Amino acid sequence: KTRAQRMRRTLSAAFPKALLLGFLSGVASPAAAFAPAALRLAKIASVAPSSGGRAVSGLKAPRAVAFPAWPRPARSFGIFASAGEENAEAADPRFDQWYNKSEQNMNNLEAAFKAAPSFLDGAILRYKDGSKVAVEDFKGRSVAIFYAAEWCPACRDFLPQLNAFVEAHNSAIEDTSISAKGRPPLGLVFVSSDANEEAALAHFQKMGSEFSRQGEWCMVDYNSGMRQELKRLYGVWAGREKDVFGQSIDGMRARRGGVPALVVVERDGEPLAHLNAEADGLMALISWRPDDYKWP
């Protein structure tokens, strides 16, 4: 087979045409080009590869923006070669120009994505021992916000099931005898609807276990404005909180559900799925697909 034939077969297998166009679109710098470039590529890859083309239940299908996992062009591709021209690559300098530009664009896009701020930057997050959480602790995890209250019977029933689900998933990843290599561990951010800070802290101590891993369970500070903002942002709040969030028609329309519930989120805060445990209980966790997205 000629070099050109090998190139065409490899390119067609590794790169969708639209993705190649994205590589060649010209990303000037990480800071300036991140937002438009990410949006273009998100439109190209609107359904995560691991979802098999299925939309993820909840708000929308996750965007396939895990840039480090994308294939890179192989140096041996002779993209300008035609059939029967074995040495076309050596004769045409445009190959090196194309390759170098594509590689630089990809590097710029990856760097910009990794440097992009998290929507939790500035939030006061704490572990059970009171120590502060760094956003970097969520790196490589599939992250969900957990809304619950101790006074809520459905929350009390759901929490042991959620604890078991998280522990089973994360333990399987650490167990080398189980084929879970490459799967992202889970991370949860607790947003309390408890009546006061004391009740919220006591409730938080029941989440996870004494052996919980770093980045696995944390809580938004009860007195932080972020706690209420996350309820408003994703439309999840308890019925008892209607005087705070449901005083307008728009506020009621924006509500997606009560507690318990989880919202799986991207690093930039983009919601991937709303898991309505208030209505579905344990079955809601089936819609959490950790492989679809992990924080870079």
Side-chain angles (χ1 to χ4, degrees):
K1 295 180 180 179
T2 67
R3 191 186 194 94
Q5 288 173 325
R6 292 196 302 272
M7 173 279 300
R8 290 191 180 92
R9 175 168 296 179
T10 308
L11 265 183
S12 63
F15 292 95
K17 182 178 180 181
L19 191 55
L20 279 175
L21 293 177
F23 282 166
L24 300 175
S25 58
V27 179
S29 68
F34 169 71
L39 288 174
R40 288 199 304 273
L41 291 173
K43 290 177 181 177
I44 292 170
S46 59
V47 178
S50 61
S51 68
R54 301 184 305 273
V56 176
S57 67
L59 300 178
K60 67 170 194 176
R63 299 173 301 176
V65 290
F67 299 117
W70 286 356
R72 292 172 174 270
R75 190 70 179 182
S76 62
F77 293 169
I79 65 168
F80 299 104
S82 59
E85 292 182 299
E86 282 288 337
N87 299 318
E89 176 189 331
D92 196 333
R94 290 179 297 172
F95 169 77
D96 280 338
Q97 295 171 6
W98 171 84
Y99 178 87
N100 292 333
K101 182 179 179 180
S102 298
E103 186 74 1
Q104 185 60 54
N105 287 349
M106 195 64 199
N107 289 338
N108 288 346
L109 199 53
E110 287 179 8
F113 186 71
K114 291 178 180 178
S118 164
F119 79 109
L120 291 176
D121 284 346
I124 303 175
L125 307 174
R126 298 190 185 279
Y127 290 120
K128 289 184 181 180
D129 61 4
S131 61
K132 288 188 175 181
V133 178
V135 174
E136 290 74 21
D137 293 348
F138 296 121
K139 182 177 180 179
R141 291 182 177 272
S142 179
V143 179
I145 303 171
F146 176 47
Y147 299 85
E150 175 69 14
W151 51 259
C152 163
C155 298
R156 292 197 298 269
D157 291 341
F158 179 68
L159 182 56
Q161 299 171 337
L162 179 59
N163 282 338
F165 176 81
V166 173
E167 180 61 27
H169 179 91
N170 289 353
S171 295
I173 293 173
E174 295 177 352
D175 188 346
T176 56
S177 66
I178 299 176
S179 179
K181 184 178 180 180
R183 301 192 66 189
L186 309 180
L188 290 102
V189 179
F190 171 47
V191 171
S192 172
S193 288
D194 291 288
N196 53 57
E197 183 177 15
E198 182 180 0
L201 291 173
H203 188 195
F204 181 45
Q205 291 302 316
K206 299 179 181 180
M207 298 178 190
S209 69
E210 59 180 312
F211 305 109
S212 292
R213 305 153 187 83
Q214 186 178 33
E216 192 169 87
W217 284 92
C218 70
M219 173 181 173
V220 177
D221 186 82
Y222 188 86
N223 298 309
S224 166
M226 176 67 83
R227 181 176 70 92
Q228 299 295 72
E229 181 58 30
L230 288 173
K231 297 175 185 178
R232 184 177 291 105
L233 180 63
Y234 297 114
V236 179
W237 38 272
R240 292 188 183 185
E241 298 174 303
K242 65 179 181 299
D243 291 341
V244 177
F245 302 104
Q247 292 186 335
S248 67
I249 294 176
D250 288 342
M252 292 301 296
R253 285 176 176 170
R255 188 178 190 236
R256 294 189 57 81
V259 297
L262 297 98
V263 176
V264 184
V265 292
E266 294 183 358
R267 179 185 171 91
D268 64 359
E270 185 75 16
L272 300 178
H274 170 239
L275 312 184
N276 188 356
E278 179 186 33
D280 302 328
L282 179 62
M283 296 302 293
L285 295 175
I286 295 176
S287 299
W288 189 351
R289 305 178 187 277
D291 295 340
D292 284 342
Y293 189 81
K294 65 179 181 180
W295 284 29

